[in-house]
Amino acid sequence: MAHILPSAPSSLLGRFMPRSNLALARLGVVLALLALILFGALRYDGFVGLFNILSFLKFNSMFALVALGMAFVIMTGGIDLSVGAAAALASVAAAICSTYGSAAGILGGLSAGLAVGLINGVVITGLRIQPFIATLATMLAANGSALLLAGNQSVSIATDNNFMAIGLNNFLGLPIPVWIVVFAYFGGWLTLERLPVGRRILAIGDGEATAKLMGLHVERTLLGVYLFSGLMAGTAGVILASSSFAGQPTEGIGWELIAIASVVVGGTLLTGGVGSVGATLAGALLLGLVFTVINFENGKGWISLSSSWQPVIRGLFLLAVVVLQAKLAGTRRNSP
Amino acid sequence: MLLSMKDINKSFSGVSVLRDASLEVAPGEVMALIGQNGAGKSTMIKILTGAYRKDSGSIQFDGTQVDFSAPAGAQAAGIATVYQELNLAPHRTVAENIFLSREPRRWGLLDRRRMRAEASRVLARFKLELDVDRPLEDFSAATRQMVAIARGVTQNARLVIMDEPTSSLDEREVGVLFDTIRTLKADGVSTLFVSHRLSELYAVCDRVTIMRDGRTIGQHPMSEISRVELVRSMLGRELTAFATRAKDEARGSDLPVFLHAEDLHAGTRVRGVSLQVRRGEIAGLAGLLGAGRTETARLIFGADPRDGGRVAVEGRETSYREPVDAIRDGIGLVSEDRKVEGIVPELSVRENMTLAILPKLRVGGVVDRTRERAIVDRFIKALGVKCSSPEQPIRELSGGNQQKVLLARWLCTDPNLLIVDEPTRGIDVGAKAEILKLLRELADDGLSVLMISSELEELMAAADHVTVLSDGQSVAVLAADELSEERLMTEMAHQNEIGSEGARAA
């Protein structure tokens, strides 16, 4: 039964506790991240070395970008299964276009990502198809298009211009993909927390019908969110092409799941309405870090895990974090 | 006139739901809009607010011809709507909910400080002091409603539409809501007030528009129409079923006691509740919202653990740990929230009805469709469920018929005690009387009923005795001949000063 009185002022204890389950989840993911870094730093030589840190960040930049787009989609209560395939398609498009100059390469990759996002948005808002189905279809279509476009093999990028610089060069000591992540996440945070549209995205996730009755432009906002997810996938595709010197039509398989995992670990509700940009980044880094730790462990020679084991361990780790979050949230819910 | 809707027609897939309907609201006026379910009230409102488009007719608002194609347009023009169930965005803060779609900005960014300050200021006008940074879901239904109204006010609304705003409020909260309406009125803002509770209309409304079968059939000043006339014109027939079908004779205390609960305790909500239900009687459970009625029912049903007290069924002490245990003893619970805990909207009438007895209908793991069909047909007929066929999705049924299906779901388990929580909430007057009559007939056949209700008239009409809860304690048991609105309210307000404003007394 609903409570009657406006809730009493928070207790002294309450003041020092995170206000929401989301805040607790954020706390959980940050704690897990710190614990894993500490573990790695104590156990492995070179784990906190500059080279390792930079290559870790660079490698995970693609996942972080895709996860950011996914986070916004999930906050509206939707899902975007096409991000991995869109990134692969974008990498092929970028590689092909790079022969016309680095700008053309970038533009080609981003356009491919945006095109997938546009189709998603139009099908979901215009034709009222459920996001799961719509993006499943575009995932298959993008995957096929990438293979067709690339002729079933990877496509080399042009090496006579500076398209490859994106993946190779540093700027002010940081790899360019890392800068892209910094800007994208800052923009994402600003949008979510400081711009009106961020509040509306969350309100739509809270209840689409309600949002409509409140006079929000639901279709327009959703279209924007899927376009953004496509743009992020396209950016990841450009980075992929540039740093591996080739468009990779078969890369990107399973990226959408890593992205969803990052978002969920970051405390964003799969049902929408609640979410955090910062915690999504922490979630993406956490999942990447598990991978790095396994590599280091293999390097120590104590164990030798094949690459097939990595997803298993990632999965178990993800489960552990989610259970931890549920426990934290549970203790709070049961306390008076 | 601020608003004047004329000759509005609307049909859905060939079925006409509005026929030359009209509605007028003067500036600063509180207009009641009443009618049975299906009379066309909500369609009328949805056309006004742009959620639906009219087929023909004219709408004039504030001197100009309007035809909104989306809710955003109506809001911009100064029409704010407070919906019954859709309560804004629960995860967002109070301040955000008030300003969503018109957030104050500075250099394109959210001006969060101003948003907070303005939100607090507008809430203060309604004597509400809230932490506007907390998510809306942290607050009570009444507070959420106030927030919705505050949202309307900041939109410079000239007309606030309230669709059954009081259905989830207790007496005191209704009082606060009425003060709010009066504040709006003093500022020249009009209110369109939809409610099933007649006494509320008399307490706060200036005029009433009555709709029936898609037509507007009357418009009267509240002071010039009696309750009986009002109900009569709403139903279009003599109202006989209500209140008259009471207890023929005072039910003897010689009937054996079926359920005896003593000194129940659980958390802060239930702090000493005792009650008993005899075989074949309807026991009422009254109290303000938050008095612990639903919580008590859940304790008896084994849905929540109890901290103390005893429950005896037919003299045997029980310790149910899960509802399954209670069901085994023949106890059923029809919960308050039909939509959330009761019906499965996409499933058919048949499937909804047999949900609880499917295990019993199995023959070698497969449901015996012939027997299932026989049971469904029997109850559809016995309870008078109006549906095109047992295969019709239950969501297409009216509230009253959905409730009957839920009752049937329990009745086909052949229970000894049925706990019904607000059995007539959101159901129109005619169907209400039918549900009550049905419960009475079931009781006459030996079923024990524990009926929780917020509507005093309903308790007086149907219950053999009423246990009154106040603040988690049972404070009185009133026999049938002691029942009066006055007495019930006095007991409910027991040691509960804030409850005694008597806002609902007409």
Side-chain angles (χ1 to χ4, degrees), chain A residues 81-91 109 112-113 116-117 138-139 142-143 229-230 233-234 237:
Chain A
L81 299 178
S82 69
V83 288
L89 177 64
S91 78
V116 176
T138 49
M139 167 178 126
N143 193 11
S229 182

Side-chain angles (χ1 to χ4, degrees), chain A residues 73-234:
Chain A
V73 169
I74 289 181
M75 278 182 241
T76 65
I79 195 114
D80 187 351
L81 299 178
S82 69
V83 288
L89 177 64
S91 78
V92 172
I96 292 173
C97 294
S98 67
T99 49
Y100 304 101
S102 58
I106 294 170
L107 217 60
L110 298 186
S111 310
L114 279 172
V116 176
L118 181 68
I119 296 173
N120 285 336
V122 168
V123 170
I124 289 164
T125 61
L127 305 179
R128 303 197 175 281
I129 305 292
Q130 285 180 5
F132 191 97
I133 308 293
T135 59
L136 184 64
T138 49
M139 167 178 126
L140 296 170
N143 193 11
S145 310
L147 286 168
L148 281 174
L149 208 57
N152 277 331
Q153 56 191 359
S154 51
V155 182
S156 304
I157 60 170
T159 47
D160 54 357
N161 58 39
N162 46 15
F163 180 71
M164 56 166 51
I166 302 166
L168 279 182
N169 290 7
N170 284 6
F171 176 72
L172 294 179
L174 285 180
I176 291 173
V178 177
W179 280 111
I180 296 176
V181 169
V182 169
F183 278 113
Y185 270 81
F186 177 73
W189 172 83
L190 195 74
T191 306
L192 187 68
E193 303 292 339
R194 292 287 182 270
L195 290 182
V197 69
R199 309 290 89 190
R200 295 172 193 178
I201 285 169
L202 290 169
I204 290 171
D206 235 353
E208 219 175 292
T210 311
K212 211 167 271 180
L213 289 174
M214 287 168 91
L216 301 186
H217 297 286
V218 174
E219 273 86 20
R220 202 188 296 170
T221 312
L222 284 180
L223 183 65
V225 165
Y226 284 94
L227 272 175
F228 178 69
S229 182
L231 179 66
M232 289 298 102

Side-chain angles (χ1 to χ4, degrees), chain B residues 139-440:
Chain B
F139 297 96
S140 70
T143 309
R144 294 199 295 265
Q145 217 136 37
M146 295 302 175
V147 172
I149 294 169
R151 177 180 164 79
V153 171
T154 59
Q155 290 167 328
N156 294 318
R158 309 282 318 279
L159 173 67
V160 179
I161 301 171
M162 301 189 188
D163 191 358
E164 289 205 53
T166 58
S167 63
S168 51
L169 305 189
D170 67 26
E171 308 262 334
R172 185 186 62 83
E173 293 170 327
V174 169
V176 178
L177 178 72
F178 285 1
D179 285 343
T180 308
I181 293 177
R182 293 186 190 109
T183 309
L184 291 174
K185 188 179 165 69
D187 292 348
V189 178
S190 308
T191 303
L192 183 61
F193 190 85
V194 181
S195 175
H196 285 306
R197 296 180 181 166
L198 301 185
S199 43
E200 289 173 2
L201 308 184
Y202 284 95
V204 77
C205 296
D206 301 317
R207 288 197 299 165
V208 57
T209 300
I210 304 163
M211 291 189 70
R212 189 174 76 219
D213 298 331
R215 293 193 172 85
T216 303
I217 53 162
Q219 193 190 65
H220 311 271
M222 282 312 302
S223 55
E224 287 173 21
I225 182 165
S226 75
R227 275 178 187 235
V228 181
E229 283 172 296
L230 201 62
V231 173
R232 194 175 294 151
S233 53
M234 189 160 73
L235 299 184
R237 59 184 154 90
E238 289 291 325
L239 179 78
T240 49
F242 209 70
T244 53
R245 175 82 182 103
K247 310 94 316 204
D248 315 324
E249 70 259 36
R251 226 145 253 278
S253 46
D254 50 325
L255 293 166
V257 173
F258 180 77
L259 176 90
H260 183 84
E262 205 177 297
D263 202 25
L264 296 180
H265 279 80
T268 54
R269 296 301 199 85
V270 181
R271 304 179 301 150
V273 173
S274 303
L275 60 87
Q276 70 180 29
V277 189
R278 290 173 188 280
R279 215 166 241 304
E281 73 175 6
I282 300 181
L285 192 55
L288 302 175
L289 201 69
R293 297 169 305 178
T294 300
E295 289 84 351
T296 300
R298 289 176 60 87
L299 289 183
I300 294 171
F301 193 53
D304 291 325
R306 59 176 190 258
D307 300 339
R310 309 179 318 117
V311 177
V313 171
E314 295 188 298
R316 273 179 307 106
E317 188 113 354
T318 68
S319 51
Y320 302 138
R321 293 161 80 203
E322 280 181 274
V324 172
D325 303 328
I327 293 168
R328 203 172 292 132
D329 274 357
I331 299 179
L333 175 80
V334 181
S335 69
E336 170 181 32
D337 200 332
R338 261 201 312 278
K339 293 218 171 83
V340 178
E341 293 175 39
I343 64 167
V344 188
E346 295 306 320
L347 292 187
S348 68
V349 170
R350 169 180 60 81
E351 288 163 313
N352 268 286
M353 205 181 273
T354 55
L355 217 50
I357 53 156
L358 278 182
K360 287 188 196 162
L361 288 175
R362 272 197 312 238
V363 178
V366 181
V367 174
D368 181 347
R369 294 292 290 256
T370 325
R371 262 181 69 208
E372 184 188 22
R373 189 58 197 256
I375 290 173
V376 170
D377 286 344
R378 182 156 63 86
F379 279 104
I380 286 181
K381 197 187 279 173
L383 307 193
V385 178
K386 290 196 190 79
C387 56
S388 60
S389 97
E391 301 306 320
Q392 189 179 10
I394 195 168
R395 64 180 150 74
E396 294 178 2
L397 268 54
S398 70
N401 281 305
Q402 289 180 354
Q403 189 68 290
K404 285 181 187 172
V405 174
L406 286 185
L407 282 174
R409 181 190 290 171
W410 286 108
L411 292 176
C412 59
T413 67
D414 196 16
N416 299 316
L417 169 68
L418 204 53
I419 306 173
V420 287
D421 197 351
E422 303 281 7
T424 65
R425 166 164 298 170
I427 292 177
D428 65 69
V429 178
K432 244 177 210 180
E434 250 180 85
I435 296 269
L436 294 183
K437 187 159 153 264
L438 189 66
L439 288 174
R440 168 53 61 196

Side-chain angles (χ1 to χ4, degrees), chain B residues 449-460:
Chain B
V449 178
L450 179 60
M451 182 172 91
I452 299 174
S453 177
S454 299
E455 304 206 18
L456 306 182
E457 297 120 325
E458 190 169 296
L459 288 167
M460 292 191 300

Side-chain angles (χ1 to χ4, degrees), chain A residues 243-332:
Chain A
S243 56
S244 67
F245 311 121
Q248 311 271 15
T250 55
E251 267 294 324
I253 292 169
W255 281 21
E256 63 282 346
L257 300 181
I258 296 173
I260 294 169
S262 307
V263 172
V264 171
V265 170
T268 298
L269 286 183
L270 270 179
T271 46
V274 169
S276 153
V277 165
T280 299
L281 183 60
L285 293 179
L286 182 64
L287 287 174
L289 201 59
V290 175
F291 181 72
T292 305
V293 166
I294 294 169
N295 279 342
F296 268 85
E297 193 62 41
N298 274 336
K300 272 198 112 159
W302 290 86
I303 54 162
S304 160
L305 291 174
S306 72
S307 57
S308 309
W309 274 99
Q310 283 162 5
V312 177
I313 293 182
R314 253 195 219 191
L316 290 176
F317 195 81
L318 174 67
L319 196 64
V321 174
V322 172
V323 168
L324 175 77
Q325 288 171 349
K327 277 258 187 280
L328 283 171
T331 49
R332 179 178 180 269

